[in-house]
Amino acid sequence: MKYHYYEIIEKLKKRGSIPGLESIRRLLDELNHPEDKLRIVHIAGTNGKGSVFAFLSSILQEGGYRVGRYISPTIQCYEERFQIDGNFIEKEKLERYFMTVEDASNRVEDQYGVKPTLFEVETAISFLYFAEENVDFALVETGMGGTLDATNIIAHPILTVISSISYDHKGILGDTLEEIAAQKAGIIKERIPVIVSENPQNVRAIIKERAEECKSPVSFVQNEDYIIIEEREQGSTFQWKNQKFSIKLPGKHQISNAVTALEAARQLRELWDPHHSINEKNMITGLKNTRWPGRLEIFRESPLFYRDGAHNPDAAGKLREFLEKHFTNKKIIYIMGVLRDKEYKKMLQVLIPLADSIYVFRPENERGLEAEVLAGAVQEFGKNAVVCNNVNQAVREALTEAREEDVIVAWGSLSFMEDMEVAR
């Protein structure tokens, strides 16, 4: 069967990104607002959104709930954006939803002169899909920012979450952390509980102010809330509320993300779990079983090969913290591709000192930075980079160089992860 939605996607990509809610509101008017039929947990943040929801989804599924997730970007396939209980939407269903939403989009354009973007169409599809499939919970991530993000059309979430906030999309969201935090805090709705991951004090202050304006109870996750028992190259063990938990996602930041998910699960249990299915056992098992590709994911065991979607200075800092903790005496080989609108020089400043060898390429993305430009930026920090034609040439070159005891890390963007090929 030939699927036409790929053609629609390419057409809609040309419209770019247009912040604002008028277009998505008109579109959902045409579709009778399927989002109003859902129990939605809405999350904004710079880093950690997907990890928090990967943990939370796994916990809720262990409790027997049917869980929808709307995520972007994806790294396995396009259909990954729309999933229920970890299963990606079937192509036949996605084709039908695209046809339905395209018809509605055309009516919106004819009546109001506004053209829904790809992200707005995808957002509408996620709502239709989850409503039709009657999921128990829909976990919805913002695309960028919060206040003007298409997902902020959600008027009545049951819970909002704000993950780690740092500098990203500065030209759109603001030049200071406070300005960026204010945009993210725009998802907070009146009298709806808010959970906030570990963040700097100035960020917490902005979020607290917004929550108070909305009369919304707010819970802040803090470092003091948990005790790290062990951090390993392949996961960690920690204690939260006198209970021990283990996760297979490496890095201290993932412990913090897991605690955010636990707090979200706890509040959902109190408010929306009359049968107490979200119990301690399911929390333990849910965290232990969580997988989240492209986030310090072990892509190959020997030589040890990680892929991580670090694409801003904060994420680069967390990756460096992990590498310094576990691989100080190892040779580290980087595979790098970045998008030109990211602060790639600041990321390089953080991570280049740890590199022994570097292979660079241009991601197959309209925003991909030319490999030669990235190599020149690497040279500014005193290292040389080998320019490759694509990510898989970089992978082959790195594997050819690496000894069994070395460590390979592919990082810089999630945009190229789907294209990576390597023998496991």
Side-chain angles (χ1 to χ4, degrees), residues 65 269 273-279 282:
Y65 287 111
R269 178 179 63 195
D273 183 34
H275 303 296
H276 304 290
S277 299
I278 308 172
N279 55 39
N282 291 331

Side-chain angles (χ1 to χ4, degrees), residues 21 42 142 146-155 186-189:
L21 300 181
H42 193 194
T142 57
T147 303
L148 299 177
D149 186 82
T151 63
N152 206 32
I153 198 66
I154 299 165
I187 71 165
I188 297 173
K189 302 298 189 299

Side-chain angles (χ1 to χ4, degrees), residues 292-359:
W292 189 219
R295 283 75 175 180
L296 269 177
E297 172 194 11
I298 296 177
F299 199 50
R300 178 182 170 128
E301 295 282 352
S302 182
L304 194 54
F305 186 152
Y306 290 93
R307 59 177 185 175
D308 187 68
H311 61 276
N312 54 51
D314 181 63
K318 289 168 180 172
L319 176 56
R320 175 170 178 155
E321 180 183 358
F322 173 76
L323 295 175
E324 285 186 319
K325 183 175 182 62
H326 299 287
F327 305 116
T328 303
N329 299 318
K330 299 276 189 177
K331 178 180 179 179
I332 297 176
I333 300 170
Y334 286 159
I335 296 169
M336 293 173 51
V338 301
L339 303 183
R340 63 175 177 269
D341 55 356
K342 298 297 182 179
E343 294 184 297
Y344 59 90
K345 288 192 177 182
K346 290 186 178 180
M347 293 190 285
L348 293 173
Q349 184 177 19
V350 172
L351 279 166
I352 285 301
L354 304 186
D356 293 286
S357 296
I358 303 165
Y359 296 90

Side-chain angles (χ1 to χ4, degrees), residues 38-39 41 53 57 60-61 65-71 81-87 126 129-130 133-140:
L38 297 168
R39 292 192 291 187
V41 183
F53 270 3
S57 177
L60 295 175
Q61 288 175 62
Y65 287 111
R66 188 166 163 80
V67 184
R69 283 188 67 195
Y70 172 45
I71 63 176
R81 281 165 169 74
F82 318 95
Q83 51 183 273
I84 296 175
D85 292 346
N87 299 310
S126 73
Y129 179 44
F130 298 151
E133 294 291 330
N134 197 30
V135 300
D136 296 303
F137 297 99
L139 310 186
V140 176

Side-chain angles (χ1 to χ4, degrees), residues 333 335 359 386-388 392-402:
I333 300 170
I335 296 169
Y359 296 90
V386 177
V387 173
C388 300
N392 286 311
Q393 183 191 353
V395 168
R396 291 191 295 271
E397 297 281 356
L399 286 173
T400 298
E401 176 185 348

Side-chain angles (χ1 to χ4, degrees), residues 26 47 123 128 132 191 237-238 372:
R26 298 292 190 188
N47 297 311
T123 299
L128 282 173
E132 185 175 287
R191 300 183 189 280
T237 302
F238 65 95
E372 292 80 6

